[in-house]
Structure formats: C-alpha cells, structure tokens
Amino acid sequence: MLELDGLTRRFGDFVAVDDVSFTVPEGHMIGFVGGNGAGKTTTMRMAMGLLAPTAGEVRWAGREMTRTDRRRTGYMPEERGLYPKQGVLDQLVYLARLKGQPENEARLQATGLLERFALADRGKDKLEKLSLGNQQRVQIAAAVMGQPQLLILDEPFSGLDPVAVEAMADLLREHTAQGIPVLFSSHQLDLIDRLCDGLVILNRGRVVANGSRDELRSTGRALQQVRLDHDAGWLRGTPGVYVADVDGTSAVIELLDDGARRLIVEEAMRRGNLLELKEIRPSLSEIYREVTA
Amino acid sequence: MNDNRVEKPWLIVATREILVKVTDRAFIVGTLVSVALIVGMLGLQIFLSNRTSTTKAVVTTSEARTFADQVGTVAHQRDDKKSVEVTQLPDAAAARAAVTAGDADVYLAKTEQGWQLTFKDSVSGDLKQIVQEQSVQDALQANATRLGTTVAELQRGTTVTTQILEGSEQQAGLAQAVGFIFAILFFMSALGFGLQIAQSVVEEKQSRIVEILASAIPLRQLLAGKVVGNTVMALAQMILYTGVGLIGLAFTDYKNLVPALSASVAWYIAFFLAGFLALACIWAVAGSLASRQEDLQATTMPLTMILTLVYVAGFTASGMVQTILSYVPVVSAVLMPVRLVEGSASWWQALVALLLNIAFAALTVYLGERIYRRSLLQTQGRIGYKQALQLTD
C-alpha cells in the first residue's frame, strides 16, 4: 500500500501542494484528478522522490519509502519521451537494467511487451522511426518494465489513440489483478469512471474529495427526478421538499426529511398518477465541478 | 541495500553512452575522415620528399660541360632527389633552340665576365645559386693557386655556424609543429566530446526520461556513467589519431623523431585525460542548466571560452608566459607536452603539472556533481551558473 501523509511543497511563497494525504491500497486503481496547476504532478514527483517535500511523508508497506522501493516503481513522467535515436528493444532493456532487472530477464519481458503491442518486428528500429501511436505503445511498455511493485503514472492516457487507450487500460488492469497498486492522473473523467476503484480530486494543492465513486456520489446533494401525469407545480408547497426545478409535469427536487417521500407519493396518487420518482446519480464530472467550484 | 545480482548502474550508463556513440554513423564517418586526413597529410609528406627532379642542361663547349657536371654533383650532394643531365650541342643557336622548344631547361655558356644561364621563361633560383657559388669557388681556386695559397686559407674566419642552447634546432621546430597539432587535437576532441556530454544531458532532461532514470538510480551514478563513457571514447579516439600519426611518421624522413615524440605523446595522452576529466562534469552541468538544446549555446559559453584560450595558448604562448601556463590545469595539457619536446621541461615538472591538473579535475567533479544533481530536475527554463550554485536539494 502506498500512503501519502500530509505531503506539502512550497516554492517560495507559493504552496503548490498543501497537506495532501491519501492511500493507494493493494490491487486498487486510483485516479488522480485536478485542473492544470492543481498540484498533481508535484505530488507525483514527490512520491517518486524527484522533489523533496517541504513537509509530510511518503510510505510504502507501512514505512518510509526508500530509493530501493522507488527503483521497483514503474513511473511515467508527464511530458514523455524516450531516447529517439536508440533501438526500441535496447532502450526498454536499458531502463529495466537500471531498475535492477537482469539483462536476459529484461530482454524477455521487453520482447513479450513488444509482441503484445504487435511491435515484435520493430524491436531493432530506432524509436524515432516509429509512428507516434507506436512510440506511445513503447512508452507504455517502458513504464511496466522491470517487474514493478507499484505504478505511478502522470497522464498516461493523454494523447493516446483509442486503440492504445484500451491497450493501456488492459495493462493497468492486469497489474491491479496481481495486487499491484496503481495511481494515475488524468483529465479524462470517463476513463477514470470506467477504470478506477477510487479517485482523489485535487484543487489548488488540496484534496477536495477522496473515495470510491459511490462514496463521492453520496456526499453531494441527493436530487430526485419526479415525473407525473399532471402538472407538478403543487410540489412547491409540499413540506420537507426543496424544489430545484419544475418543468410542466416533471420536476427536480431534494428531499429534506425522511417523511417527505411518502408525502409526495400519497399526494401524487391523490391527484393522478406518479410515473417516476428516482434518485439522480450525478456523473463524476458533475461531482468534479461541484467540489472544485 | 546491496544486491549482488544488480549490475553497477554507472557501468550500465557508460556502456550505453559508448554503444550509442560507436553505432552513430556521423561519429564513425567523422573519425574515419580524421584518420584519412592524418594518413593523407603524412602520405603527401612522403610523396613530396621522394619526388626526384632532373634539370636538363645544354652546353656547347667541353669546358662548359665539365662545369655543368660539377654543378650537377653539388646539386645532388645538397639534395639527393636532384640531378643535372648535361647534353653538348654544336653551337649556341642549337642550344637556344633546344631551350625554346622545351627540350632543355637551361643553356649554360661561358662569357667574359663568368657564366651565363639562359632559361625559357623563368629563372631557377636554386640552379642560379649553385652556379654562382660554383663559379666563385672556381675563381677562388684559380686565384689561390696563382697566389700560392689554398682556398681554406682565403676563407678562414668567414664560416657561420648556428647553435641552440636548449635542445636542438630540429627539436625547436618540431616543438612548434607538435604544439599546433596538440592544440588542434585537444580543442577538437574536448569540444566535440564535451558538447556530446552536454547534449546527452539536455536530451534526457528535455524528454523527461531523466525523471525515470532519477527514480531508478542515484543521479551521481548517472553522471559518473556519462562522464566515464564519453571519456573512454575521447581517449580511444585520441590514441587512435596520435597512434596513426606516429606510425605514419615512421615511414617519412622524420622517422628518427618517433622515439622522442612517442614519449611526448604518452604525456599528452595522460594530460588530455586529466584535462578532459576536469571539464567533463562542467559540460554535464552546462547540459543540466539548459532546458532545451537551444539553451546550450549560452550555458556552454564558459567552456568554449576556456577551450579557445587553450587553443590560442597552444599556438602563441612562449617564454615566461608559456612556462607559467604549462602548470595551469587544462592549458597544461597542451603546453607541458610541447615543453617536453622542446626539452625546456623535465619529467618531474611534467608530473607536477599533471598532479595539479588531476587535483583540479577532482575539484570540478565534486562541484559539478553537486550542481548537476540539483539543477537537473529543475524544469522552469534556463538556469544561470550563479543561481545553480545556490540551489538546494
């Protein structure tokens, strides 16, 4: 389990990351969300030991994370690029060897990854000779070289073509299935919605939301969609009901106390028919907009 | 934690630096062209010194024939590639016709005042001088005999000889030539491989691959690998160039200089190593201060200035200035080997200069490593040297 505890980073008077704490449990995929300048990259750089925290601590398996732990962490920096003038296979092996993987093992893993991305015959080519999409696939392979025990990826999906997005998603899921914690940042909320077990929303350097999708959804106001076969205007006078919007026979309301639901059902049946009364589940982007507003 | 299975990271980095270089076509071509240039220059030297020239002279009298033969003997004594071929023709008109037609180079005839040389369109200075000397010699001989004395007696007290107190004349000329060559080689190699270090640092920084590297291995190891890899390549290339030069020299007229030069080249290689190392980490710093390749011109400025100074000093320094500079680190790499060739410095002086250079290299490696480590992960544009010294981890 990766634990970030009270991480803070100041650049002069500017507080880029302010008391950020969250965990990435074994086998969990956590999405890291926030606008530009929210502090995601700074947080990840601190987690990787590339930037010293002004305060706080990064822990792995319950103790302070060491260089050896980080050596076994797959990391993808925000602005990516490998060596353009080196052979694809060679640089994958090089990166893995620096992470401490023996050469023959690294070669085996790299060959396997290239086969998986249908790049087996391009292993000897220089990276710059590959199309942009294929270069991205090599980049993905680079992140998981050296049998990492933790993945920290800064915007791994940005700029990927749809096929590469799926390849990346599959690869990440395989890692979490093996119990490896994965933390990645992204602007693509739909992807996070689809892939992640939990998400952390950062705004101006602070964590403004942290939890599973359902947990986050339940923290916002629970609105109800009401559909009747008659005019919905009467809802406005009902006690315990806040009416957000009325449009002819339908309305969006908030139930302020437990008895209100029963009251509405009874009154609606008296006046005609109640066609629908259901909770509106806010999308992640709605939650995001709400917490970062 | 020590894991025995794990290879030394700096060694992995150094191996990559070397492999990338030796598989780079531009580098291979550049090295081969340089070797070809060295071989070509030596070959030209051999060709020029082996070229023989024969001057065709025509005469009309047997007296002139004897004289022309004497001139030919003297010319051959001075330069064994030169000779004079004499042909006797019936009269002056035929001789002039032969010169005009180009069948002969010169018509040699006795006049009342002495000898006359007739050329077609230009006078050969060499021949004119030999003829002049020879005619003076003949006249002296005749006059001496007439006065009952010898030529040697007449010439007593007119001999001019030269002497050089330190080393020999040949050494002085050689030292100058060697100074030029060492200065050029040092400049080219230190600049080329230095820039290579800076470029490879900024390449990693620009592509952010440095963040992957930095999370995997200590930056000190990354720097060490880079410096070691490029130093090995620079040294190998230098040994190749000087080796080819020395071997080639053994085939020229200067082959007697090879033993003395070899010792000097060995010193030069040792100095080059120390001098290159002294700058290597600063080149890496220059790379780490830049954030894009375009910044390199500004961040490498101090280094190119130092190298230009070394270059200029190699060509121009002499006397006291040369003696002082031959102990100054980096500059000493060119000047001390030159002084060794001249014979104006002894081995222990060279050793002192070398040790000073190594001490200086240790200092720049120490400082360079600190600045490199701190500025490498800074991403907000170009950093100044002063600013970099103040950075903290």
Side-chain angles (χ1 to χ4, degrees):
Chain A
M1 184 164 78
L2 174 73
E3 291 170 86
L4 274 57
D5 185 6
L7 272 190
T8 303
R9 174 72 201 204
R10 288 196 186 86
F11 294 106
D13 291 335
F14 176 66
V15 186
V17 173
D18 189 3
D19 195 24
V20 165
S21 303
F22 62 89
T23 62
V24 187
E26 251 86 81
H28 275 58
M29 204 183 302
I30 302 294
F32 201 23
V33 198
N36 292 328
K40 303 187 299 288
T41 298
T42 305
T43 304
M44 290 179 137
R45 280 163 63 97
M46 282 192 283
M48 284 312 296
L50 299 171
L51 195 64
T54 311
E57 192 179 57
V58 182
R59 282 192 293 272
W60 172 252
R63 49 174 177 71
E64 192 173 355
M65 200 171 181
T66 64
R67 176 171 285 288
T68 318
D69 298 328
R70 290 185 171 117
R71 212 173 176 195
R72 300 213 47 204
T73 300
Y75 172 61
M76 189 187 272
E78 185 189 15
E79 287 163 58
R80 307 194 288 273
L82 296 169
Y83 294 106
K85 301 212 178 292
Q86 198 178 9
V88 170
L89 186 65
D90 280 350
Q91 56 186 312
L92 289 178
V93 172
Y94 173 66
L95 291 175
R97 284 173 71 198
L98 288 181
K99 285 172 176 283
Q101 198 178 26
E103 186 171 356
N104 47 357
E105 218 176 272
R107 207 160 278 278
L108 218 59
Q109 194 193 352
T111 312
L113 281 164
L114 289 181
E115 267 167 26
R116 173 194 184 124
F117 292 129
L119 290 172
D121 55 333
R122 308 297 303 272
K124 290 226 180 299
D125 290 355
K126 286 182 180 173
L127 186 76
E128 62 185 2
K129 301 264 183 238
L130 269 56
S131 68
L132 204 60
N134 282 338
Q135 289 192 24
Q136 289 167 345
R137 287 170 175 81
V138 176
Q139 191 81 45
I140 296 168
V144 298
M145 282 301 296
Q147 313 290 5
Q149 57 185 5
L150 164 68
L151 289 177
I152 296 182
L153 314 169
D154 202 351
E155 298 283 351
F157 292 100
S158 85
L160 293 195
D161 62 59
V163 185
V165 165
E166 283 317 305
M168 184 84 197
D170 287 347
L171 200 62
L172 295 188
R173 272 194 285 250
E174 278 167 40
H175 281 81
T176 50
Q178 292 168 37
I180 293 169
V182 176
L183 171 68
F184 74 86
S185 65
S186 182
H187 287 298
Q188 286 146 284
L189 291 164
D190 55 321
L191 264 170
I192 291 189
D193 199 12
R194 193 152 64 81
L195 293 172
C196 290
D197 303 297
L199 76 157
V200 175
I201 302 178
L202 213 58
N203 190 34
R204 296 197 192 106
R206 293 180 143 271
V207 175
V208 289
N210 175 9
S212 73
R213 200 168 36 229
D214 291 335
E215 280 167 359
L216 288 189
R217 278 175 179 151
S218 60
T219 57
R221 288 189 301 171
L223 295 177
Q224 314 285 326
Q225 171 78 46
V226 183
R227 230 152 44 79
L228 304 167
D229 63 351
H230 54 274
D231 189 83
W234 59 268
L235 284 166
R236 289 197 191 279
T238 313
V241 174
Y242 165 75
V243 179
D245 186 35
V246 175
D247 181 15
T249 59
S250 63
V252 175
I253 59 166
E254 186 180 358
L255 301 172
L256 300 176
D257 63 59
D258 293 343
R261 183 186 296 269
R262 191 185 178 86
L263 217 62
I264 290 170
V265 173
E266 282 171 5
E267 182 63 21
M269 297 306 280
R270 205 177 57 77
R271 289 173 182 255
N273 236 332
L274 174 64
L275 302 178
E276 189 178 30
L277 173 59
K278 72 163 191 190
E279 197 181 325
I280 300 171
R281 297 179 67 86
S283 70
L284 267 188
S285 37
E286 282 164 325
I287 296 172
Y288 177 77
R289 273 202 299 276
E290 195 172 322
V291 296
T292 58
Chain B
M1 261 207 307
N2 270 323
D3 188 342
N4 285 336
R5 277 187 322 127
V6 177
E7 301 154 274
K8 295 260 181 299
W10 68 265
L11 201 58
I12 304 174
V13 175
T15 313
R16 192 196 94 87
E17 291 285 327
I18 293 174
L19 281 178
V20 166
K21 205 92 188 100
V22 295
T23 51
D24 177 20
R25 188 169 300 150
F27 173 74
I28 299 172
V29 169
T31 305
L32 289 180
V33 165
S34 299
V35 169
L37 271 177
I38 295 171
V39 171
M41 272 159 63
L42 287 165
L44 186 68
Q45 186 65 42
I46 296 171
F47 170 74
L48 287 177
S49 63
N50 283 341
R51 203 172 52 159
T52 58
S53 69
T54 304
T55 306
K56 287 180 186 158
V58 286
V59 293
T60 52
T61 62
S62 59
E63 185 194 4
R65 179 172 199 130
T66 315
F67 182 74
D69 283 337
Q70 276 173 357
V71 168
T73 312
V74 172
H76 193 69
Q77 274 167 0
R78 295 212 179 147
D79 184 342
D80 61 4
K81 305 293 184 310
K82 288 200 170 125
S83 60
V84 177
E85 190 186 294
V86 187
T87 313
Q88 194 169 344
L89 292 177
D91 54 44
R96 283 177 201 281
V99 171
T100 311
D103 295 336
D105 298 312
V106 64
Y107 164 43
L108 194 64
K110 177 96 176 173
T111 63
E112 277 175 27
Q113 287 82 30
W115 291 95
Q116 186 181 34
L117 294 169
T118 309
F119 295 97
K120 184 182 180 185
D121 48 17
S122 64
V123 175
S124 158
D126 277 359
L127 199 68
K128 183 186 168 196
Q129 193 177 352
I130 295 172
V131 168
Q132 202 155 28
E133 286 171 16
Q134 194 58 36
S135 65
V136 168
Q137 199 69 25
D138 279 1
L140 269 178
Q141 186 68 51
N143 294 345
T145 312
R146 193 158 48 83
L147 294 169
T149 179
T150 61
V151 175
E153 196 64 31
L154 284 174
Q155 282 186 330
R156 190 201 299 280
T158 63
T159 314
V160 178
T161 57
T162 56
Q163 189 182 12
I164 282 182
L165 289 176
E166 287 182 359
S168 69
E169 199 171 349
Q170 200 183 29
Q171 267 179 319
L174 181 67
Q176 201 175 21
V178 165
F180 290 172
I181 294 168
F182 284 176
I184 292 170
L185 280 180
F186 189 90
F187 185 72
M188 273 172 36
S189 182
L191 190 67
F193 282 95
L195 266 178
Q196 173 64 32
I197 293 178
Q199 276 165 355
S200 102
V201 169
V202 80
E203 180 195 20
E204 286 169 357
K205 190 175 172 179
Q206 196 170 9
S207 69
R208 300 293 160 87
I209 197 172
V210 71
E211 295 193 2
I212 300 179
L213 303 176
S215 66
I217 61 169
L219 289 179
R220 187 174 290 150
Q221 298 263 349
L222 180 63
L223 177 64
K226 239 173 230 315
V227 168
V228 168
N230 281 287
T231 306
V232 166
M233 290 308 291
L235 199 61
Q237 204 187 47
M238 189 57 78
I239 290 173
L240 175 72
Y241 290 164
T242 50
V244 167
L246 281 178
I247 293 169
L249 205 60
F251 290 97
T252 69
D253 289 347
Y254 301 105
K255 53 181 164 289
N256 60 322
L257 300 174
V258 171
L261 261 182
S262 298
S264 168
V265 165
W267 275 106
Y268 170 66
I269 298 278
F271 272 103
F272 174 75
L273 177 60
F276 186 81
L277 269 181
L279 298 182
C281 282
I282 309 183
W283 281 108
V285 166
S288 73
L289 296 179
S291 68
R292 297 166 304 142
Q293 296 281 354
E294 293 82 353
D295 297 336
L296 275 183
Q297 205 180 358
T299 61
T300 58
M301 179 79 92
L303 287 150
T304 42
M305 276 168 61
I306 290 173
L307 287 177
T308 308
L309 180 78
V310 173
Y311 183 69
V312 172
F315 273 87
T316 59
S318 63
M320 185 64 118
V321 177
Q322 188 201 39
T323 308
I324 294 170
L325 286 181
S326 71
Y327 290 99
V328 174
V330 187
V331 188
S332 65
V334 169
L335 290 184
M336 191 48 100
V338 169
R339 288 188 59 205
L340 286 170
V341 177
E342 277 178 353
S344 68
S346 57
W347 66 269
W348 67 265
Q349 286 170 312
L351 195 65
V352 168
L354 185 60
L355 288 175
L356 280 173
N357 211 333
I358 290 170
F360 180 68
L363 180 73
T364 62
V365 167
Y366 170 76
L367 276 178
E369 190 266 340
R370 283 162 58 98
I371 304 176
Y372 169 80
R373 204 153 38 82
R374 289 167 182 176
S375 54
L376 190 60
L377 296 173
Q378 304 283 328
T379 46
Q380 61 272 41
R382 182 153 65 83
I383 312 167
Y385 278 87
K386 214 165 156 188
Q387 205 182 342
L389 275 168
Q390 292 158 351
L391 286 175
T392 52
D393 285 310

